[in-house]
Amino acid sequence: MRMSILIAVLLALLALLATLQYRWMGEVSEAELQRMRSSLRADVFRLTQEFDGELTRIYRSFNLQVDFNDAGDSFGHYGWLEDQYAHRYRQWLAVAPYPRLVHDLFWVDMDRSDELRISRFNRETNHLELSSWPAELADWRGRFTERLRNRGMAFRPSFGTALDPTVEDLPELVIPLRHRPRFSDGPRLNPPAIVGFSVVRLDRIYLEQEFVPALARRYFPGTEGMSDYALVIVSRRNPERIIYQSDPKLSASVRSSPDAAATFFTLRFEALQNRPADGFSGRIDRPGSFRRGANFAAPGLPPIPAPRPEGRWQLTIKHRGGSLKDVVGSARRRNLMISFTVLMLLGTSMTLIIIVTQRAQKLARQQMDFVAGVSHELRTPLAVVCSAGENLADGIIRDQQQVKQYGGLVLNEGRRLTRMVEQILEFAGIQSGRRIYEMRPIRPGQLIDSALAACEPHLKEADIQLQTEIENDLPLIKGDSAALIGSIQNLLINAIKYGGVNRWIKLQAQAMTGKRGQEVRITIEDKGLGIARTDLPHIFDPFYRGRVVLAAQIHGNGLGLSLVKSAIEAHGGRVTVKSSPGQGSVFTLHFPALPRTARESFK
Ligand code: ADP
C-alpha cells in the first residue's frame, strides 16, 4: 500500500516535471526565435548600412557647392571644377575601403542653347572632356530634358529623384551642384540654385560580383558554403533581375517567404544633413566658370529632401533549414524528445528500482519463511527419531513387531531429513554456480524406472494407485541422469503430497513433434488440491509455497519445483503446468530428443 502511494507520488512528480519542461522549452524556443530574428535583422541592417554608407561617402565626396560671391561671372572653362574633382578624387581614394567602386566621373550642365551636355573627367589629365552620353544614361537624359521642358527653369531635382528606384536602376549617383547666391540676393528668398550635376558612375561588375558578395560573406559567414542563411538580392524596379543569390536552388523559397527583408542602395540622407562632407567644408575657394542662366532652382523648396527609406535593391534572407520558425521548432522538438527520453529513462529506472526492491523484500521474506519452515520441518522428524531412540534405549520396546515398526519410523523420518538436506545442498550449488551436469545420452524409460524405484516407499506408504503409460522405443535424450531422476522424483513426491484423497497418479512418457522439433514429454498428473491461479505464476520461485498447502500444514520447503526448473532448463528443456484448484495438476517435462544418428551410435 505504502509502495503504491510512493509510486503514485513519483509518477505525479514525473508528470509535473514533464509539463514544466514542456512549457519551459516553449518559452525558451520563443525567446530563441526572437533572439535569432533580431540578430538576423541587425545583421541585415548592418550589411545594408555598410553598403549605403559607401554610397553616401561617395556622394559626400563629390557633393560640391559653389559660392558665387567668389565664383565670379566668367564662363567657358571648368578649371575650378576640374581642380575640385581632382582634389576630391584623391581625398576619396585616400580613405575609401573599396576604391574600385567608382568607375567614372561626369559633369552634366546646359550649353548656351539650353541643351544638356555631358563631359567626362579624365583622371590622367585632370580635365573635363566633352563626351557622348553613356547608353545607360540615355533614358535618364530623355526624361530629365522632358521635365525641364515641362517645368521650365523652375524645376529643381532632388537627391531622391536622382536615386529613386522607380525612376532609375542605374549604377550612377547623380549629385546636383548648388550655388550659394550673393548675400545681397537675400539668402532666404533665393535658396541655393543648381548649376549642373556631377554623375558618379559606379563599377557595376565590381559592385555586383565583388562588393555585394564580400559584404554577404562578411555578415553571413559561409553564405556561399554551408552558412545557415540563403540570401537573394534583386532590383526593385525589375524584380526578375537577380543581382546576387547565395544559393540558386533556394532563391524562389527565400523570395516568397523570407525571414527578413530590407531595401537598400540609397543614400543615408540623415548622415548628410547639416554636416559637411568628410573633411570637406563644402565651400569653394576658387570658383570656376558657370553659366548663371542655367539655374535649375525653384524658390521656396526645402534645400535637402526628407530621408527616404527606399532603395534600388531589395535583399531577402531565409534560414536554410526552412525558416527561423521551422529551425527553432525542430530544435525544440529535438530537445523535447531528448528531455522526454531522459524523463522516461528516469521513470523506467525508478520503476526498476521499485520492482527490484520489492523482489528483494519478497526474497528476504521467503528466506525467513524458509528458515522457519526448514526448522519446523527438521523438528518433527528429529523429535520422532529421538523419542523412538529413547524408547528403544530404555528397553520399553521389546516386542519384535514393535521394534520393526519403530525401525520403519526412524527410516522414514531419516529419508525425509536426507531429502531436505539434499534439496538445500542442491539449491546452494545451483545458486553459487557450482552445480555441474554430466551430460550423456539416456533412455527416458530408464530415468522413469529409477525415479519410480526411489519413490517406491513413498508410493506404498501413501497407498497410491499409479497408472503408467510409457511409449515403447522413446527417442534418447541427453542429460545428467541423477539430476533428471531427482526432477521426476520431485514431481512424483509433490503429486503424492498434494494428491489429496484420490490417491491416484498417472505417469506418461511420449515422443511428440512440435514447433521446436521432436521432444520427449514426461507428464505426471494427479487429481488432488490443484493450484490457485494467483499461486501459479510463482510456484517455480525458490521458497514459494502455495497458500492452500501452507494452510493445510503439508510439510515442504518450497525448493522442489525451483530445482526441477533449473535442472530441466540446463538440459535445454522446459517445465509446463496445467492446474485447476480442487481438480488436480498436470506437470510436464519437455526434453529435446537426440537426433536419430546419435541414437544409432549409442545402440
Ligand atoms: P514444496 O512442495 O516443498 O512446497 P515445491 O517447490 O515442490 O515446494 O512446490 C511449490 C508449491 O507448488 C507447493 O508449495 C504447492 O503449493 C505447489 N505444488 C507443487 N506441486 C503441486 C501439486 N502436484 N499439486 C498442487 N500443488 C502443487
Side-chain angles (χ1 to χ4, degrees):
M1 183 66 186
R2 225 181 287 151
M3 193 61 92
S4 52
I5 292 175
L6 180 71
I7 293 173
V9 170
L10 285 175
L11 284 179
L13 262 176
L14 269 184
L16 183 72
L17 252 175
T19 319
L20 287 178
Q21 186 99 329
Y22 183 81
R23 279 208 195 146
W24 181 70
M25 272 187 186
E27 282 165 22
V28 168
S29 301
E30 191 52 41
E32 176 65 6
L33 182 64
Q34 294 309 333
R35 190 196 63 75
M36 283 175 86
R37 262 193 196 141
S38 56
S39 130
L40 177 67
R41 281 184 196 143
D43 284 340
V44 167
F45 178 75
R46 277 199 289 272
L47 185 152
T48 53
Q49 188 82 353
E50 176 157 357
F51 185 96
D52 289 347
E54 281 314 309
L55 294 191
T56 311
R57 194 203 293 273
I58 295 170
Y59 193 96
R60 279 176 182 172
S61 300
F62 297 100
N63 183 20
L64 312 176
Q65 197 170 38
V66 60
D67 188 340
F68 267 102
N69 282 331
D70 306 322
D73 283 341
S74 51
F75 302 114
H77 70 90
Y78 293 131
W80 172 84
L81 200 56
E82 287 166 346
D83 286 353
Q84 281 298 312
Y85 277 165
H87 172 64
R88 297 213 166 189
Y89 227 128
R90 267 198 312 281
Q91 290 239 2
W92 178 74
L93 276 175
V95 292
Y98 308 99
R100 284 173 57 199
L101 266 180
V102 171
H103 191 265
D104 261 325
L105 183 59
F106 296 98
W107 168 249
V108 175
D109 64 355
M110 282 179 148
D111 63 13
R112 281 169 198 279
S113 50
D114 282 350
E115 285 294 322
L116 278 182
R117 65 180 172 187
I118 189 161
S119 321
R120 181 176 169 277
F121 180 68
N122 184 329
R123 286 177 57 200
E124 251 109 81
T125 60
N126 283 343
H127 285 307
L128 279 168
E129 295 161 358
L130 262 181
S131 83
S132 54
W133 282 86
E136 68 255 37
L137 278 183
D139 195 30
W140 178 80
R141 176 197 178 197
R143 269 180 289 124
F144 197 74
T145 316
E146 183 90 349
R147 281 189 179 191
L148 278 178
R149 209 162 284 146
N150 289 345
R151 302 175 81 175
M153 292 305 147
F155 176 65
R156 182 183 179 283
S158 66
F159 294 155
T161 308
L163 284 162
D164 191 341
T166 55
V167 177
E168 306 296 342
D169 186 22
L170 304 174
E172 266 91 15
L173 294 179
V174 182
I175 311 168
L177 174 62
R178 295 151 202 289
H179 122 245
R180 196 187 301 162
R182 266 187 292 252
F183 181 67
S184 55
D185 287 354
R188 272 187 207 98
L189 289 174
N190 280 331
I194 293 174
V195 291
F197 297 90
S198 301
V199 176
V200 182
R201 191 207 243 171
L202 305 173
D203 185 335
R204 187 195 288 262
I205 307 248
Y206 174 75
L207 192 71
E208 294 180 5
Q209 293 180 8
E210 289 188 46
F211 183 48
V212 167
L215 287 183
R217 272 195 302 274
R218 165 125 45 93
Y219 289 99
F220 301 98
T223 299
E224 268 143 340
M226 276 321 287
S227 151
D228 290 344
Y229 291 99
L231 197 142
V232 181
I233 296 171
V234 295
S235 154
R236 283 187 67 211
R237 194 168 178 225
N238 173 18
E240 292 315 307
R241 190 167 95 75
I242 293 178
I243 287 141
Y244 171 79
Q245 50 187 344
S246 64
D247 192 334
K249 270 183 265 156
L250 296 178
S251 290
S253 138
V254 174
R255 290 176 63 188
S256 61
S257 54
D259 284 323
T263 56
F264 67 113
F265 204 141
T266 185
L267 295 178
R268 301 279 164 176
F269 296 113
E270 64 278 14
L272 280 173
Q273 228 162 1
N274 305 326
R275 255 175 59 186
D278 300 309
F280 300 117
S281 70
R283 191 186 150 80
I284 300 158
D285 301 328
R286 197 176 67 75
S289 58
F290 297 100
R291 189 171 161 229
R292 288 190 78 194
N295 184 348
F296 301 92
L301 286 177
I304 292 172
R308 292 151 64 109
E310 297 93 347
R312 293 182 191 180
W313 291 351
Q314 178 166 47
L315 178 154
T316 42
I317 190 162
K318 188 176 182 178
H319 201 283
R320 277 179 202 275
S323 72
L324 283 186
K325 217 170 175 173
D326 295 344
V327 170
V328 172
S330 73
R332 181 180 177 215
R333 276 193 295 282
R334 227 181 12 247
N335 288 345
L336 274 177
M337 242 177 63
I338 294 172
S339 313
F340 284 132
T341 312
V342 169
L343 282 182
M344 260 172 58
L345 275 179
L346 200 72
T348 317
S349 318
M350 273 169 21
T351 319
L352 278 179
I353 290 173
I354 291 169
I355 291 173
V356 168
T357 316
Q358 270 181 330
R359 281 212 181 139
Q361 280 177 349
K362 197 172 134 197
L363 204 67
R365 231 183 359 253
Q366 283 177 349
Q367 279 170 343
M368 286 307 296
D369 290 351
F370 166 74
V371 173
V374 165
S375 316
H376 179 77
E377 287 293 302
L378 287 174
R379 216 167 44 195
T380 321
L382 282 177
V384 172
V385 169
C386 285
S387 68
E390 203 177 304
N391 287 351
L392 285 170
D394 290 350
I396 299 173
I397 311 296
R398 294 221 184 92
D399 178 5
Q400 195 58 31
Q401 186 61 31
Q402 274 186 319
V403 171
K404 208 173 161 188
Q405 231 180 355
Y406 267 71
L409 205 65
V410 171
L411 187 70
N412 262 349
E413 295 307 317
R415 276 204 199 108
R416 234 170 94 184
L417 278 175
T418 315
R419 213 177 111 67
M420 204 182 308
V421 172
E422 266 168 9
Q423 279 192 336
I424 293 167
L425 286 177
E426 171 120 18
F427 178 71
I430 289 171
Q431 292 300 306
S432 63
R434 281 198 307 266
R435 180 71 169 94
I436 295 163
Y437 297 102
E438 274 179 45
M439 300 297 207
R440 291 216 186 98
I442 327 169
R443 287 197 179 85
Q446 252 177 20
L447 292 179
I448 295 167
D449 289 346
S450 309
L452 282 176
C455 288
E456 179 77 40
H458 300 277
L459 290 165
K460 254 200 194 143
E461 191 193 5
D463 193 21
I464 297 288
Q465 182 200 337
L466 179 73
Q467 188 182 334
T468 50
E469 278 178 23
I470 320 280
E471 263 180 27
N472 288 328
D473 210 17
L474 280 172
L476 292 181
I477 57 171
K478 195 175 179 189
D480 180 310
S481 47
L484 296 183
I485 293 169
S487 296
I488 300 171
Q489 215 180 320
N490 272 335
L491 293 183
L492 279 170
I493 289 178
N494 278 355
I496 298 168
K497 276 202 292 186
Y498 309 124
V501 285
N502 282 310
R503 315 219 155 269
W504 173 91
I505 294 175
K506 182 175 173 185
L507 199 159
Q508 251 183 315
Q510 53 192 341
M512 304 277 275
T513 307
K515 269 186 276 172
R516 304 165 199 231
Q518 201 186 23
E519 59 179 26
V520 175
R521 291 183 190 169
I522 299 177
T523 307
I524 291 155
E525 187 180 344
D526 67 66
K527 287 183 181 158
L529 299 178
I531 303 165
R533 269 241 306 271
T534 46
D535 287 332
L536 215 49
H538 308 291
I539 53 170
F540 292 100
D541 295 347
F543 311 121
Y544 190 89
R545 303 208 68 214
R547 251 156 274 175
V548 178
V549 304
L550 279 174
Q553 293 195 332
I554 302 175
H555 64 84
N557 52 28
L559 278 179
L561 286 183
S562 89
L563 293 178
V564 171
K565 188 170 183 260
S566 305
I568 303 305
E569 285 179 356
H571 285 74
R574 64 205 161 92
V575 198
T576 54
V577 58
K578 276 186 206 150
S579 182
S580 36
Q583 308 267 316
S585 314
V586 185
F587 284 85
T588 308
L589 305 179
H590 305 247
F591 299 99
L594 274 181
R596 193 165 290 279
T597 47
R599 287 179 230 164
E600 299 302 323
S601 61
F602 187 66
K603 278 175 187 166

